[in-house]
Amino acid sequence: EFEITAGIRYFRLEDRSHTRSSGIWIGPEASENVSEGRESGNRKKFGVSWMPSRDLTLYGLYSEGYRPGGNNFPELPNACAGDDFADQFSPRYNSDQIENTELGIKANLFDRRTRLAAAVYNIDWTDVRTSIYMPSCGFSYIANAANARSQGIELETSTYFDSGTTLTFNASYTDSKMLSDVEALGASRGDDMTMVPKYNAYVALDQEFSLFDRRTFARIDVAAYGSYKSHFNVRDEDRSPAYQTVGLSGRMDLNENATVGVYIDNLLNERYTTYTSARSRTSSRLPLHEIYGPERSVTLRFDYRFF
């Protein structure tokens, strides 16, 4: 009824960068520099599961992860020496790290017609890698400049009906916050993290039936995302608004080896924004920059299994 999982990963990273630069930003003499660094450490994982029956599992999990560090250019250009954010520059930035704690449940309900998985989690993110822009000279560099935390809940369900119908519903809520002030980003402790909607949801209806004596499937789905901001220090009107998209698809088994399908993404041709970079609270001179999601697309697909 109990299962315990434990693991540890040791890592050692070494890198070296050799740079030769010249030009008006560097000065009258060419600059040649070598930047190198190394890191080592470990990341741990521990989990425990309790299975009181074949249709119910309760679990807890603790795990750690990282992204490898790297090198900036070895030194700042002369034109950036007097920038307000130049003092945070380092030739090397280190790995950032996450610590994830999760409690969850997996269950089969109603004679195994419904499958359910749910979890609550807390992720602590330390030494977050951040791009620091220096406005006086137009250059950027990467620094370990922030700490953050994400907490949330996730739900996934699938329900099967006798008529060959399957209903899928997934949803999540995420509260992601800055835990430190980062002047270079215009971020303050307690600010929402960027590019993270508070909620998202997905619902899909699948139907299996016979058409021309061939096995056929049809599916309609709706995906919904909450509003979010693409950068810090934004005004309310600079957030990417919530949006929804509808998809429609179908496929038919022509024989044991061949399948043909049609897939329509963004069925209603909804115009939605995935990224908005507009005016900050401290400047009205920044131009509006938006990225839109894909327009309606139709895909025809043919699959054949040779063996």
Side-chain angles (χ1 to χ4, degrees):
E1 294 182 353
F2 287 93
E3 180 178 274
I4 296 176
T5 302
I8 187 169
R9 170 180 292 177
Y10 172 80
F11 68 91
R12 178 181 174 87
L13 308 173
E14 296 185 21
D15 48 55
R16 186 174 187 269
S17 176
H18 182 190
T19 304
R20 180 180 175 86
S21 305
S22 62
I24 60 174
W25 300 106
I26 305 302
E29 301 294 333
S31 173
E32 187 168 0
N33 295 279
V34 174
S35 176
E36 58 185 344
R38 57 181 56 88
E39 290 182 73
S40 63
N42 60 74
R43 298 294 182 260
K44 298 176 286 295
K45 178 179 181 179
F46 180 79
V48 58
S49 299
W50 177 42
M51 295 157 282
S53 73
R54 67 172 188 158
D55 292 323
L56 179 63
T57 300
L58 304 174
Y59 71 90
L61 175 68
Y62 172 81
S63 58
E64 299 175 345
Y66 74 99
R67 290 185 301 176
N71 295 306
N72 290 302
F73 37 88
E75 61 183 25
L76 288 175
N78 291 342
C80 299
D83 192 89
D84 291 340
F85 306 126
D87 58 346
Q88 299 181 46
F89 173 81
S90 173
R92 176 176 173 80
Y93 55 92
N94 295 321
S95 302
D96 52 3
Q97 176 179 340
I98 61 168
E99 298 179 3
N100 173 63
T101 305
E102 182 178 336
L103 298 174
I105 180 174
K106 299 179 181 179
N108 295 317
L109 307 172
F110 311 117
D111 295 328
R112 292 197 162 191
R113 293 181 179 272
T114 297
R115 295 180 179 179
L116 178 148
V120 294
Y121 63 88
N122 180 90
I123 299 175
D124 289 318
W125 191 3
T126 56
D127 293 329
V128 181
R129 285 164 38 180
T130 304
S131 178
I132 304 297
Y133 175 71
M134 295 176 287
S136 68
C137 62
F139 282 86
S140 300
Y141 62 88
I142 298 175
N144 299 104
N147 295 322
R149 173 177 295 161
S150 290
Q151 298 174 322
I153 183 169
E154 298 177 338
L155 172 68
E156 299 179 3
T157 65
S158 295
T159 302
Y160 305 89
F161 300 93
D162 290 333
S163 59
T165 304
T166 303
L167 176 65
T168 301
F169 176 73
N170 303 334
S172 68
Y173 173 82
T174 304
D175 182 38
S176 187
K177 300 288 188 183
M178 290 284 293
L179 297 183
S180 56
D181 299 328
V182 183
E183 183 183 358
L185 300 178
S188 301
R189 178 184 176 90
D191 283 353
D192 291 335
M193 287 289 287
T194 60
M195 307 299 293
V196 182
K198 286 284 187 182
Y199 71 85
N200 64 73
Y202 176 82
V203 60
L205 194 64
D206 292 85
Q207 180 65 53
E208 179 182 351
F209 56 96
S210 178
L211 183 64
F212 305 122
D213 295 326
R214 290 178 171 83
R215 192 181 183 192
T216 306
F217 302 86
R219 179 186 182 93
I220 186 170
D221 57 76
V222 179
Y225 300 88
S227 64
Y228 56 88
K229 60 185 182 182
S230 303
H231 58 98
F232 291 104
N233 196 30
V234 297
R235 303 173 182 179
D236 290 339
E237 62 267 28
D238 297 332
R239 292 176 176 267
S240 296
Y243 66 91
Q244 305 81 38
T245 60
V246 180
L248 185 66
S249 62
R251 73 180 193 275
M252 176 186 290
D253 294 338
L254 301 179
N255 53 47
E256 292 183 355
N257 298 318
T259 301
V260 64
V262 58
Y263 304 86
I264 305 176
D265 293 325
N266 195 3
L267 176 67
L268 303 180
N269 206 24
E270 183 77 15
R271 182 177 179 179
Y272 59 95
T273 305
T274 60
Y275 180 90
T276 298
S277 178
R279 302 177 307 278
S280 70
R281 295 188 182 277
T282 56
S283 175
S284 60
R285 296 177 296 175
L286 298 177
L288 174 63
H289 174 66
E290 293 184 328
I291 299 177
Y292 299 103
E295 298 179 345
R296 181 195 298 122
S297 64
V298 180
T299 303
L300 297 176
R301 175 170 170 171
F302 176 78
D303 294 276
Y304 188 87
R305 186 174 64 246
F306 291 93
F307 54 84

